[in-house]
Amino acid sequence: MALLRDPLLNKGTAFTESERAALGLRGLLPPCVLTMETQAQRVLTNLRTLPTDLEKYVALNALHDRNEALFFRVVVDNIDEIQPIIYTPTVGLACQKYGLIFQRPRGMFISSRDRGQIAELLKNWPYQAKLIVVTDGERILGLGDLGANGMGIPVGKLSLYSACAGVHPEACLPVVLDVGTNNDELLNDPYYLGLRERRLTGEAYDSFVDEFMQAARKTFPGVLIQFEDFANHSAFKLLHKYRDEACVFNDDIQGTAAVALAGLFSALRVNGGKLKDQKILFLGAGEAATGIADLVVSAMMAEGVSEADALRRNWLVDSRGLVVGGRQGLHGHKLRYAHADQAPIADFLTAIRTLKPTAIIGVAAVGGAFTPEVLKTMAELNEQPIVFALSNPTSKAECSAEDAYRYTEGRALFACGSPYDPVTLNGRSFVPRQGNNSYIFPGVGLGVIASGSKLVTDEMFMAAAHTLADCVGKDDLAQGSLYPSLPRIREVSVRIAAAVADVAFQRGLADGPAPNDVKALVQSQMYEPHY
Ligand SMILES: NC(=O)C1=CN([C@@H]2O[C@H](COP(=O)(O)OP(=O)(O)OC[C@H]3O[C@@H](n4cnc5c(N)ncnc54)[C@H](OP(=O)(O)O)[C@@H]3O)[C@@H](O)[C@H]2O)C=CC1
Ligand SMILES: CC(=O)C(=O)O
Ligand SMILES: [Mg+2]
């Protein structure tokens, strides 16, 4: 009976006659033995009768908790259909309703009440984690502070690690650091499952996170830790504090940078431009924007431009307007892009008219900010404007795919953070694809784990960006797709992982000498969902 209740071992109705006899399962299952294919078909049939995406999310979660192999089989074989349910946009809604839809816990919930005991608590995890995705829930997608409800994000990211890159589910540990929430709605929600107190701040917060970091690394030596959906003020601080001593990265800063740069490379193959000649205007000046801008600057410099010139080709608009030199209160990550000799500009459209960018990248979580006027202006300024609406979930997208194509007469080179269906305009069909770090982190994580890298470096993200861009074919570009199709994701992840592992071996970061065939090493470590 214990076997039927262990999701990592359970096969349900697929246990064979001989297994049933040997494992004490006779009488505990209906007599008919099903194949995994029939089970998967049954899952899909049931799923497709459910009226809402949230109900589908709940059903898939329940399957995940019953039978991991079947769950991942269904995800891998139907990635286009299932990813939007277990990841953005539906995972955003699932986090908002986390307390209401909660059935079984997944991952570890470490709250500020556990201070002083985190190492002890981590021992309760029954597996040897190689990969932790951790959030404190303060900036869940573009939905703000969702406190402990943010757990849906590490769970969703780790599902993609196993589905898209074959990191073994047993190696994956989702963690929420529950330091309270400042979201009054949640504090008053009878179903909220997190601590009902305001967020820990300052030294108390820092030492709590540090205790977790030390305990996690001690309990799971060599573990890769991915920071996810921390608020801006914590994200940069934590990345800089740990990146040179621990195997960590920040997905929102570094993963997003790589996927956006790959998308730019693809767009430039279509319009014939060079990266060093682009002028990029970001809506947003936070983790995603400055992460992308920093990697773009490095890539421009690799094309022979000076750092000063490369910086000058990247401009940021934040909640107070264009980031310019001399503006009061600017600090940290924005300062590199606070260009002198430019008067302040309050709004995005005027910034476009003044700066004449070749590309706009939306990462401010302001839904609809790429208005018809913005899109038309980009189309007036550029034969083929680059328009990336990367904010998540869909409600926060800067524009829809349809609007991006319609208001640029089908000339936009478009990518979106959350999925959009294909668009038909004047008889031409466009297939927009997701500029989402989900193309990057699975392969990066696999490469880091396979090589046993001690650190995760910017060079790895640069390699990942180039590799992802190389996976895009002419047929993709011809239909407006700046990324490869999702059904190819495991092949893409292998290539990214090999490129990342190569960097680890070349830089002496890996755990051992380089093998003859790095790709084979990576592939040998991949989990295949079958019985
Ligand atoms: N597609 C993908 O792979 C990814 C998408 N994202 C999405 O990007 C969005 C932002 O994430 P992240 O960068 O981490 O968040 P941050 O909080 O770090 O940054 C948000 C930025 O948006 C700015 N902003 C807020 N309101 C406005 C406004 N009205 N006009 C102009 N700028 C504004 C903020 O300004 P100020 O600095 O003044 O506060 C801030 O600079 C989210 O929706 C997230 O889902 C994030 C990571 C990956
Ligand atoms: C995709 C992602 O990481 C985000 O929207 O935060
Ligand atoms: Mg994120």
Side-chain angles (χ1 to χ4, degrees), residues 58-90:
V58 171
L60 283 164
N61 233 9
L63 174 63
H64 197 178
D65 289 342
R66 280 197 311 274
N67 182 336
E68 294 232 19
L70 184 58
F71 170 77
F72 283 114
R73 184 79 269 149
V74 169
V75 178
V76 169
D77 291 346
N78 304 277
I79 189 82
D80 270 323
E81 180 178 349
I82 306 289
Q83 184 164 313
I85 309 290
I86 61 171
Y87 191 60
T88 185
T90 312

Short mmCIF file of all heavy atoms in Angstrom, two decimals, residues 58-90:
data_model
loop_
_atom_site.label_atom_id
_atom_site.label_comp_id
_atom_site.label_asym_id
_atom_site.label_seq_id
_atom_site.Cartn_x
_atom_site.Cartn_y
_atom_site.Cartn_z
N VAL A 58 -5.18 22.13 -10.76
CA VAL A 58 -5.43 21.30 -9.56
C VAL A 58 -5.35 19.82 -9.93
O VAL A 58 -4.73 19.01 -9.21
CB VAL A 58 -6.80 21.65 -8.94
CG1 VAL A 58 -7.18 20.66 -7.84
CG2 VAL A 58 -6.78 23.08 -8.40
N ALA A 59 -5.94 19.46 -11.07
CA ALA A 59 -5.93 18.05 -11.49
C ALA A 59 -4.50 17.58 -11.77
O ALA A 59 -4.12 16.47 -11.39
CB ALA A 59 -6.81 17.88 -12.72
N LEU A 60 -3.72 18.41 -12.41
CA LEU A 60 -2.33 18.02 -12.72
C LEU A 60 -1.49 17.93 -11.45
O LEU A 60 -0.64 17.05 -11.31
CB LEU A 60 -1.71 19.01 -13.71
CG LEU A 60 -2.18 18.81 -15.16
CD1 LEU A 60 -1.86 20.03 -16.00
CD2 LEU A 60 -1.55 17.56 -15.77
N ASN A 61 -1.75 18.86 -10.53
CA ASN A 61 -1.06 18.82 -9.24
C ASN A 61 -1.35 17.52 -8.51
O ASN A 61 -0.46 16.90 -7.93
CB ASN A 61 -1.57 19.99 -8.38
CG ASN A 61 -0.45 20.82 -7.86
OD1 ASN A 61 0.71 20.65 -8.26
ND2 ASN A 61 -0.78 21.73 -6.98
N ALA A 62 -2.61 17.12 -8.55
CA ALA A 62 -3.02 15.88 -7.88
C ALA A 62 -2.31 14.69 -8.53
O ALA A 62 -1.84 13.77 -7.85
CB ALA A 62 -4.53 15.72 -7.94
N LEU A 63 -2.20 14.71 -9.85
CA LEU A 63 -1.49 13.63 -10.55
C LEU A 63 -0.01 13.63 -10.14
O LEU A 63 0.57 12.57 -9.87
CB LEU A 63 -1.63 13.81 -12.07
CG LEU A 63 -0.81 12.84 -12.92
CD1 LEU A 63 -1.27 11.40 -12.69
CD2 LEU A 63 -0.93 13.20 -14.40
N HIS A 64 0.57 14.83 -10.09
CA HIS A 64 1.96 14.98 -9.67
C HIS A 64 2.17 14.33 -8.30
O HIS A 64 3.17 13.67 -8.04
CB HIS A 64 2.28 16.48 -9.61
CG HIS A 64 3.73 16.83 -9.59
ND1 HIS A 64 4.17 18.11 -9.59
CD2 HIS A 64 4.84 16.07 -9.56
CE1 HIS A 64 5.49 18.12 -9.56
NE2 HIS A 64 5.92 16.90 -9.54
N ASP A 65 1.19 14.51 -7.42
CA ASP A 65 1.29 13.96 -6.05
C ASP A 65 1.02 12.46 -6.00
O ASP A 65 1.33 11.82 -5.00
CB ASP A 65 0.30 14.69 -5.13
CG ASP A 65 0.73 16.12 -4.84
OD1 ASP A 65 1.91 16.43 -5.05
OD2 ASP A 65 -0.13 16.92 -4.42
N ARG A 66 0.40 11.92 -7.05
CA ARG A 66 0.10 10.47 -7.06
C ARG A 66 1.14 9.66 -7.80
O ARG A 66 1.53 8.58 -7.37
CB ARG A 66 -1.24 10.22 -7.78
CG ARG A 66 -2.48 10.46 -7.02
CD ARG A 66 -3.67 9.78 -7.70
NE ARG A 66 -3.81 10.03 -9.13
CZ ARG A 66 -4.42 11.08 -9.66
NH1 ARG A 66 -4.93 12.01 -8.87
NH2 ARG A 66 -4.52 11.21 -10.97
N ASN A 67 1.60 10.22 -8.94
CA ASN A 67 2.38 9.40 -9.86
C ASN A 67 3.27 10.33 -10.70
O ASN A 67 2.84 10.87 -11.72
CB ASN A 67 1.40 8.60 -10.74
CG ASN A 67 2.09 7.68 -11.72
OD1 ASN A 67 3.25 7.89 -12.08
ND2 ASN A 67 1.39 6.66 -12.16
N GLU A 68 4.51 10.53 -10.23
CA GLU A 68 5.38 11.51 -10.88
C GLU A 68 5.72 11.13 -12.32
O GLU A 68 5.78 11.96 -13.20
CB GLU A 68 6.69 11.67 -10.09
CG GLU A 68 6.46 12.25 -8.72
CD GLU A 68 7.35 13.44 -8.42
OE1 GLU A 68 7.89 14.07 -9.33
OE2 GLU A 68 7.48 13.74 -7.22
N ALA A 69 5.97 9.85 -12.52
CA ALA A 69 6.37 9.42 -13.87
C ALA A 69 5.26 9.73 -14.87
O ALA A 69 5.51 10.26 -15.96
CB ALA A 69 6.71 7.94 -13.88
N LEU A 70 4.03 9.42 -14.49
CA LEU A 70 2.91 9.68 -15.40
C LEU A 70 2.71 11.18 -15.60
O LEU A 70 2.49 11.65 -16.72
CB LEU A 70 1.63 9.02 -14.85
CG LEU A 70 0.40 9.12 -15.73
CD1 LEU A 70 0.64 8.51 -17.11
CD2 LEU A 70 -0.80 8.42 -15.06
N PHE A 71 2.82 11.93 -14.50
CA PHE A 71 2.71 13.40 -14.61
C PHE A 71 3.73 13.91 -15.62
O PHE A 71 3.38 14.65 -16.55
CB PHE A 71 2.95 14.03 -13.22
CG PHE A 71 3.11 15.54 -13.24
CD1 PHE A 71 2.00 16.37 -13.38
CD2 PHE A 71 4.37 16.12 -13.12
CE1 PHE A 71 2.15 17.76 -13.40
CE2 PHE A 71 4.53 17.50 -13.13
CZ PHE A 71 3.42 18.32 -13.27
N PHE A 72 5.00 13.51 -15.46
CA PHE A 72 6.02 14.05 -16.37
C PHE A 72 5.87 13.51 -17.79
O PHE A 72 6.18 14.20 -18.75
CB PHE A 72 7.42 13.82 -15.80
CG PHE A 72 7.73 14.80 -14.70
CD1 PHE A 72 7.90 14.38 -13.38
CD2 PHE A 72 7.80 16.16 -14.96
CE1 PHE A 72 8.15 15.30 -12.37
CE2 PHE A 72 8.05 17.09 -13.95
CZ PHE A 72 8.23 16.65 -12.65
N ARG A 73 5.38 12.29 -17.94
CA ARG A 73 5.11 11.76 -19.29
C ARG A 73 4.10 12.66 -20.00
O ARG A 73 4.29 13.07 -21.15
CB ARG A 73 4.56 10.33 -19.16
CG ARG A 73 4.30 9.56 -20.41
CD ARG A 73 5.57 8.99 -21.02
NE ARG A 73 6.20 9.90 -21.97
CZ ARG A 73 7.50 9.98 -22.22
NH1 ARG A 73 8.36 9.23 -21.58
NH2 ARG A 73 7.96 10.83 -23.09
N VAL A 74 3.04 13.00 -19.28
CA VAL A 74 1.98 13.84 -19.86
C VAL A 74 2.53 15.23 -20.19
O VAL A 74 2.27 15.78 -21.25
CB VAL A 74 0.77 13.93 -18.89
CG1 VAL A 74 -0.21 15.00 -19.34
CG2 VAL A 74 0.07 12.57 -18.79
N VAL A 75 3.34 15.77 -19.27
CA VAL A 75 3.88 17.12 -19.51
C VAL A 75 4.83 17.10 -20.73
O VAL A 75 4.71 17.92 -21.64
CB VAL A 75 4.63 17.65 -18.27
CG1 VAL A 75 5.23 19.03 -18.56
CG2 VAL A 75 3.70 17.75 -17.06
N VAL A 76 5.75 16.14 -20.74
CA VAL A 76 6.76 16.12 -21.81
C VAL A 76 6.10 15.91 -23.17
O VAL A 76 6.45 16.58 -24.14
CB VAL A 76 7.79 15.00 -21.54
CG1 VAL A 76 8.68 14.77 -22.75
CG2 VAL A 76 8.64 15.36 -20.32
N ASP A 77 5.13 15.03 -23.23
CA ASP A 77 4.53 14.71 -24.54
C ASP A 77 3.52 15.75 -25.01
O ASP A 77 3.09 15.70 -26.17
CB ASP A 77 3.84 13.33 -24.48
CG ASP A 77 4.85 12.21 -24.35
OD1 ASP A 77 6.05 12.46 -24.59
OD2 ASP A 77 4.45 11.08 -24.01
N ASN A 78 3.12 16.65 -24.11
CA ASN A 78 2.08 17.63 -24.47
C ASN A 78 2.49 19.01 -23.98
O ASN A 78 1.68 19.77 -23.45
CB ASN A 78 0.73 17.23 -23.86
CG ASN A 78 0.32 15.83 -24.26
OD1 ASN A 78 -0.24 15.63 -25.32
ND2 ASN A 78 0.64 14.85 -23.41
N ILE A 79 3.77 19.33 -24.15
CA ILE A 79 4.32 20.51 -23.49
C ILE A 79 3.61 21.81 -23.92
O ILE A 79 3.38 22.69 -23.09
CB ILE A 79 5.86 20.58 -23.69
CG1 ILE A 79 6.50 21.67 -22.85
CG2 ILE A 79 6.24 20.72 -25.14
CD1 ILE A 79 6.76 21.25 -21.43
N ASP A 80 3.23 21.91 -25.19
CA ASP A 80 2.54 23.13 -25.64
C ASP A 80 1.22 23.33 -24.90
O ASP A 80 0.84 24.45 -24.58
CB ASP A 80 2.24 23.04 -27.15
CG ASP A 80 3.38 23.60 -27.99
OD1 ASP A 80 4.00 24.60 -27.56
OD2 ASP A 80 3.67 23.03 -29.06
N GLU A 81 0.54 22.22 -24.65
CA GLU A 81 -0.77 22.30 -23.98
C GLU A 81 -0.63 22.45 -22.47
O GLU A 81 -1.39 23.19 -21.83
CB GLU A 81 -1.57 21.02 -24.31
CG GLU A 81 -2.95 20.97 -23.69
CD GLU A 81 -3.71 19.69 -24.09
OE1 GLU A 81 -3.25 18.97 -25.00
OE2 GLU A 81 -4.76 19.43 -23.47
N ILE A 82 0.36 21.76 -21.90
CA ILE A 82 0.43 21.69 -20.44
C ILE A 82 1.26 22.81 -19.81
O ILE A 82 0.97 23.26 -18.70
CB ILE A 82 1.00 20.32 -19.99
CG1 ILE A 82 0.20 19.17 -20.61
CG2 ILE A 82 1.03 20.21 -18.48
CD1 ILE A 82 -1.18 18.97 -20.07
N GLN A 83 2.30 23.26 -20.49
CA GLN A 83 3.15 24.27 -19.84
C GLN A 83 2.37 25.50 -19.38
O GLN A 83 2.60 26.00 -18.27
CB GLN A 83 4.34 24.67 -20.74
CG GLN A 83 5.29 25.65 -20.03
CD GLN A 83 6.65 25.79 -20.70
OE1 GLN A 83 7.30 24.80 -21.04
NE2 GLN A 83 7.09 27.02 -20.89
N PRO A 84 1.43 26.01 -20.19
CA PRO A 84 0.67 27.18 -19.71
C PRO A 84 -0.20 26.89 -18.49
O PRO A 84 -0.69 27.82 -17.85
CB PRO A 84 -0.21 27.54 -20.91
CG PRO A 84 0.43 26.89 -22.09
CD PRO A 84 1.08 25.64 -21.57
N ILE A 85 -0.40 25.62 -18.16
CA ILE A 85 -1.19 25.28 -16.96
C ILE A 85 -0.29 25.19 -15.73
O ILE A 85 -0.60 25.72 -14.67
CB ILE A 85 -1.91 23.91 -17.13
CG1 ILE A 85 -2.69 23.84 -18.45
CG2 ILE A 85 -2.82 23.64 -15.94
CD1 ILE A 85 -3.89 24.70 -18.53
N ILE A 86 0.85 24.52 -15.88
CA ILE A 86 1.69 24.32 -14.68
C ILE A 86 2.67 25.48 -14.49
O ILE A 86 3.37 25.56 -13.49
CB ILE A 86 2.46 22.98 -14.73
CG1 ILE A 86 3.42 22.91 -15.93
CG2 ILE A 86 1.49 21.80 -14.76
CD1 ILE A 86 4.35 21.70 -15.88
N TYR A 87 2.72 26.38 -15.47
CA TYR A 87 3.65 27.51 -15.43
C TYR A 87 2.84 28.76 -15.79
O TYR A 87 1.62 28.76 -15.67
CB TYR A 87 4.80 27.18 -16.41
CG TYR A 87 5.99 28.10 -16.34
CD1 TYR A 87 6.73 28.24 -15.16
CD2 TYR A 87 6.39 28.82 -17.46
CE1 TYR A 87 7.82 29.09 -15.11
CE2 TYR A 87 7.50 29.67 -17.41
CZ TYR A 87 8.20 29.80 -16.23
OH TYR A 87 9.28 30.64 -16.18
N THR A 88 3.52 29.83 -16.21
CA THR A 88 2.76 31.04 -16.52
C THR A 88 1.87 30.83 -17.74
O THR A 88 2.29 30.17 -18.67
CB THR A 88 3.70 32.26 -16.72
OG1 THR A 88 2.89 33.43 -16.89
CG2 THR A 88 4.60 32.11 -17.93
N PRO A 89 0.62 31.31 -17.78
CA PRO A 89 0.02 32.22 -16.81
C PRO A 89 -0.71 31.56 -15.64
O PRO A 89 -0.90 32.19 -14.61
CB PRO A 89 -1.01 32.98 -17.67
CG PRO A 89 -1.45 31.98 -18.69
CD PRO A 89 -0.22 31.15 -19.00
N THR A 90 -1.12 30.27 -15.77
CA THR A 90 -2.03 29.72 -14.75
C THR A 90 -1.38 29.66 -13.37
O THR A 90 -2.06 29.84 -12.35
CB THR A 90 -2.51 28.32 -15.17
OG1 THR A 90 -2.95 28.39 -16.53
CG2 THR A 90 -3.66 27.85 -14.30
#
